[in-house]
Amino acid sequence: MARQDLENYIGQLLLVDTWRDYCPNGLQIEGRKNVQRIVTGVTASQALIDAAIDLNADALLVHHGFFWKGENACITRNKKTRIAKLLANDLNLLAYHLPLDAHPTLGNNAQLGKKLGLIGSGRFGDQQLGWLGELETPLTLAEFTLQIDAQLQRLPLVIGPAEQIIKRVAWCTGGAQSFFHEAAHLNIDCFITGEASEFVTHLARESGVSYIAAGHHATERYGIEALGQHLASQYGLEHIHLDLENPV
Ligand SMILES: [Zn+2]
């Protein structure tokens, strides 16, 4: 299919223009005009770009692309190497950040909830990015931790009493530790995001709301994969998802 048609379709699907974001969403690096094979992954790292080129991809779709607000805008050092490789191989780079976190079925939060057995019932936080929901069957924090470990193949960092009963949960994938300030007062038992900051320990202990940092990469690998699968079934594209190991 034409790359332009792919870009237009995803733009409408994810309502790209409606979000306030820290990076441009959509085509970030322009490559060939036609797309048949797509590769998806969390971050446009050198390793992911090299792997996509080895797979003869026409387009690489990621959650974390380039050109973040506040970063040095110059194309030097490892950013130069990454972009040079994309351009030399005529490989398109498309990136979808907050619009992908938020999509009601394909998004990172929707997909993580599904993975962890959470039934979504509401939203909270900046731009309503955070999700509220419930475990169908309440678990102790210790049991829920084991379930997360089994589902994400990564042992989370957990702050809270092992025997606490977890039913009402708030979550937001990636680096959403600042959302804990609001979430801790939403009558929930537990908050899940990808990363932790020092303050969350104290807020968890003082509010009685447990905190789970389940991995920035681990919580955000499912949205871009779901988007790739959706595009493959919609347009008959070949789709390969690459989950390059990242302990953070
Ligand atoms: Zn992220």
Side-chain angles (χ1 to χ4, degrees):
M1 69 186 297
R3 181 240 301 137
Q4 185 68 59
D5 293 339
L6 179 68
E7 197 194 350
N8 292 347
Y9 176 76
I10 304 172
Q12 285 165 18
L13 178 71
L14 301 184
L15 304 173
V16 156
D17 295 333
T18 65
W19 293 89
R20 266 182 290 113
D21 209 339
Y22 316 99
C23 64
N25 285 288
L27 184 65
Q28 290 191 338
I29 303 289
E30 185 176 325
R32 61 198 72 155
K33 285 198 176 345
N34 283 297
V35 173
Q36 179 52 37
R37 177 174 294 181
I38 59 173
V39 165
T40 56
V42 176
T43 299
S45 63
Q46 190 67 58
L48 185 67
I49 292 166
D50 291 346
I53 291 166
D54 288 344
L55 288 165
N56 286 316
D58 301 306
L60 175 58
L61 280 71
V62 296
H63 180 51
H64 301 139
F66 301 146
F67 314 121
W68 297 92
K69 230 172 244 175
E71 80 172 13
N72 185 334
C74 299
I75 299 177
T76 55
R77 301 186 176 178
N78 65 319
K79 188 154 79 172
K80 181 249 177 181
T81 316
R82 292 177 184 185
I83 292 173
K85 198 83 184 263
L86 287 163
L87 292 172
N89 288 276
D90 213 14
L91 175 59
N92 292 289
L93 176 70
L94 295 103
Y96 298 95
H97 186 235
L98 296 185
L100 183 60
D101 286 321
H103 189 272
T105 56
L106 302 173
N108 282 323
N109 282 324
Q111 291 288 321
L112 183 69
K114 200 166 126 190
K115 199 89 189 156
L116 300 183
L118 295 163
I119 300 152
S121 56
R123 307 287 169 96
F124 76 100
D126 182 44
Q127 299 187 75
Q128 299 288 291
L129 279 162
W131 281 47
L132 292 163
E134 291 192 352
L135 277 174
E136 202 163 14
T137 313
L139 298 171
T140 66
L141 184 60
E143 290 166 338
F144 192 34
T145 301
L146 290 178
Q147 181 169 311
I148 293 171
D149 184 16
Q151 289 299 316
L152 306 189
Q153 302 99 49
R154 180 189 181 283
L155 189 64
L157 171 73
V158 177
I159 300 157
E163 66 285 359
Q164 184 187 0
I165 301 297
I166 306 297
K167 181 165 173 68
R168 296 238 328 141
V169 178
W171 69 98
C172 192
T173 63
Q177 49 270 60
S178 66
F179 279 43
F180 191 37
H181 292 292
E182 184 177 339
H185 301 284
L186 292 175
N187 187 32
I188 55 165
D189 305 307
C190 172
F191 175 69
I192 306 170
T193 185
E195 298 185 27
S197 295
E198 196 270 352
F199 79 86
V200 304
T201 305
H202 312 294
L203 185 51
R205 289 176 182 163
E206 291 164 24
S207 65
V209 174
S210 293
Y211 189 94
I212 298 181
H216 191 136
H217 174 93
T219 58
E220 295 202 318
R221 51 162 94 98
Y222 305 108
I224 195 73
E225 183 179 13
L227 175 64
Q229 280 168 358
H230 173 82
L231 296 171
S233 68
Q234 193 80 4
Y235 288 109
L237 301 174
E238 293 170 61
H239 168 228
I240 302 159
H241 177 70
L242 295 177
D243 183 21
L244 302 188
E245 192 270 344
N246 183 341
V248 175

